[in-house]
Amino acid sequence: MILNGSNGTRIADGVNQVHESIGNGYAATPRRFVGGAGATACGMGLLVLALLVALALASSAQAQAQVPLGTADSFAVLGGSTVTNTGPSVINGNLGVSPGSAVTGFPPGTVNGTIHAANAVAAQAQSDLTAAYINAAGRACQVALTGRDLGGLTLTRNVHCFTSSAQLTGTLTLDGQGDPNAVFVFQIASTLTTASGSNVNLINGAQSCNVFWQVGSSATLGTTTTFRGNILALTSITATTGATVDGRLLARNGAVTLDSNTVTRAQCAGAPPPPPPPPPPPPPDETGPIVNIGGPPNKPCIARDFRLRIRASDDSGIRRIEVFLDGRLIERTTSRSFFVWIRAERLLAARHTIRVVARDRVGNRTVTTRRFRRCDRPVSPPFTG
């Protein structure tokens, strides 16, 4: 009776359709098992494919591209309506305002760059800032932080999002995990506020140039805050007394207000150059020491004892020097420079050979000879007067 109901009719129709397939020449039982296995394999394939796509998307999302600032990159401070300063602020980079034109407080503030007020350069920078703001705001959220204070957190590269305001009290640590290109994006729907003395700390290669704070309304940096990264605010930015910024203060529509601050335009450091190749190994030392023999004989014949000065040098050092007279060892030393006496008066009247053998510390040898003749006639004693 249930099969006759509306639901039963659909079920019956389904059964009939199955039997029509069977009637077309397919065996019922094998067809059911084959169909089930094929469906399971197909489902598993689709599941694996989905997992691979998800992993690829996750990997792509993990490696965020830098937010392109365009010409706004050259600015440390850029306002929409005005830029005002109190005290001895230092701006390291360009300062600009557009479409407004008011820039006040310089001096006493100092700009180590160029001031662009309501000119074409500032207008283009604002246009590029708008594109960068939209780029940052349009990225998919990866880490939801709504309601959490950033103080005390350690975050890695990701798109971190707040559906309302964001607060920093204390120290936020951004960990580059060894990658100097790690990009951190913070999407903040309304305001960004830091408490006095707060700090954004970068570790393991993270760089200020790769940190982007997209703020849906205004940002306020508390006194003596040490802030790192590029603030892209829809409305205004206020840096209170003593706050320092390694990055940029870029406001689209409102004012940038400074009070005794230091703002330094962040620049990405390039990858460190590879270490220089090691110097080639020195060629093997195959040269023996250099040996010089100084002193007599400088006459046709020698009748009296005389002294020779022997000097040897080698880059590897001298191991040993031996002096031979007619093949007989008369001196052995490790000195580089020394004197040796030749007892010519005791020699026969004939030709004699002095041979110096010097060895360096790696085993090379040099042999140097000096010959002289012992006189065969008496030599008159020196005249004494």
Side-chain angles (χ1 to χ4, degrees):
M1 295 299 294
I2 296 175
L3 294 178
N4 292 329
S6 60
N7 291 336
T9 301
R10 285 196 293 272
I11 295 172
D13 290 342
V15 172
N16 288 336
Q17 291 169 3
V18 169
H19 282 283
E20 287 175 2
S21 298
I22 296 172
N24 288 333
Y26 297 99
T29 301
R31 177 60 179 171
R32 287 172 182 258
F33 280 100
V34 170
T40 301
C42 180
M44 289 297 294
L46 291 175
L47 177 60
V48 170
L49 179 60
L51 289 174
L52 291 175
V53 171
L55 289 173
L57 290 175
S59 175
S60 174
Q62 182 76 1
Q64 288 290 323
Q66 190 181 56
V67 175
L69 295 176
T71 60
D73 179 82
S74 68
F75 286 81
V77 173
L78 180 64
S81 58
T82 62
V83 174
T84 62
N85 172 64
T86 301
S89 293
V90 177
I91 309 302
N92 296 309
N94 291 341
L95 181 149
V97 60
S98 179
S101 59
V103 176
T104 60
F106 298 92
T110 302
V111 177
N112 295 316
T114 304
I115 296 178
H116 296 279
N119 61 11
V121 175
Q124 183 61 52
Q126 274 290 355
S127 176
D128 291 344
L129 169 58
T130 298
Y133 181 94
I134 294 171
N135 179 292
R139 301 192 181 199
C141 177
Q142 294 174 289
V143 180
L145 294 175
T146 302
R148 298 188 64 181
D149 194 308
L150 288 166
L153 298 182
T154 295
L155 304 177
T156 58
R157 72 179 92 190
N158 271 313
V159 178
H160 307 273
C161 51
F162 293 82
T163 58
S164 56
S165 63
Q167 174 72 33
L168 170 59
T169 305
T171 298
L172 165 66
T173 301
L174 302 181
D175 185 352
Q177 298 179 309
D179 183 3
N181 298 315
V183 174
F184 303 78
V185 177
F186 292 86
Q187 297 172 339
I188 302 168
S190 59
T191 60
L192 167 64
T193 306
T194 72
S196 297
S198 294
N199 178 42
V200 178
N201 187 35
L202 306 181
I203 63 173
N204 295 329
Q207 300 191 77
S208 298
C209 61
N210 289 325
V211 181
F212 299 89
W213 304 82
Q214 177 261 317
V215 181
S217 58
S218 298
T220 301
L221 304 182
T223 57
T224 66
T225 288
T226 301
F227 194 83
R228 292 176 174 88
N230 307 286
I231 297 180
L232 287 60
L234 179 63
T235 310
S236 62
I237 302 172
T238 300
T240 57
T241 307
T244 61
V245 178
D246 179 15
R248 293 170 180 82
L249 303 181
L250 309 175
R252 290 180 56 191
N253 301 311
V256 176
T257 304
L258 306 172
D259 183 358
S260 304
N261 309 119
T262 299
V263 183
T264 301
R265 167 181 166 261
Q267 302 182 66
C268 285
D285 182 2
E286 298 177 351
T287 304
I290 298 173
V291 177
N292 293 308
I293 302 176
N298 58 357
K299 298 178 181 181
C301 67
I302 300 294
R304 295 187 176 87
D305 297 349
F306 60 90
R307 187 176 69 168
L308 296 178
R309 181 169 187 175
I310 298 174
R311 296 179 180 178
S313 62
D314 191 274
D315 289 342
S316 67
I318 299 298
R319 175 178 293 175
R320 183 173 67 249
I321 300 176
E322 297 172 324
V323 182
F324 298 86
L325 176 59
D326 297 331
R328 180 173 60 89
L329 179 67
I330 61 173
E331 184 71 34
R332 175 179 287 161
T333 182
T334 58
S335 299
R336 292 172 175 263
S337 177
F338 60 95
F339 292 96
V340 61
W341 278 96
I342 305 299
R343 304 297 182 181
E345 296 177 1
R346 303 177 184 179
L347 299 177
L348 296 174
R351 291 189 176 274
H352 301 276
T353 300
I354 300 168
R355 185 162 60 97
V356 178
V357 180
R359 290 178 172 84
D360 63 18
R361 292 190 177 279
V362 296
N364 298 309
R365 188 181 74 156
T366 299
V367 178
T368 305
T369 60
R370 172 75 67 88
R371 292 181 174 85
F372 69 95
R373 186 169 64 86
R374 168 73 164 87
C375 295
D376 56 359
R377 63 181 182 275
V379 177
S380 301
F383 180 73
T384 59

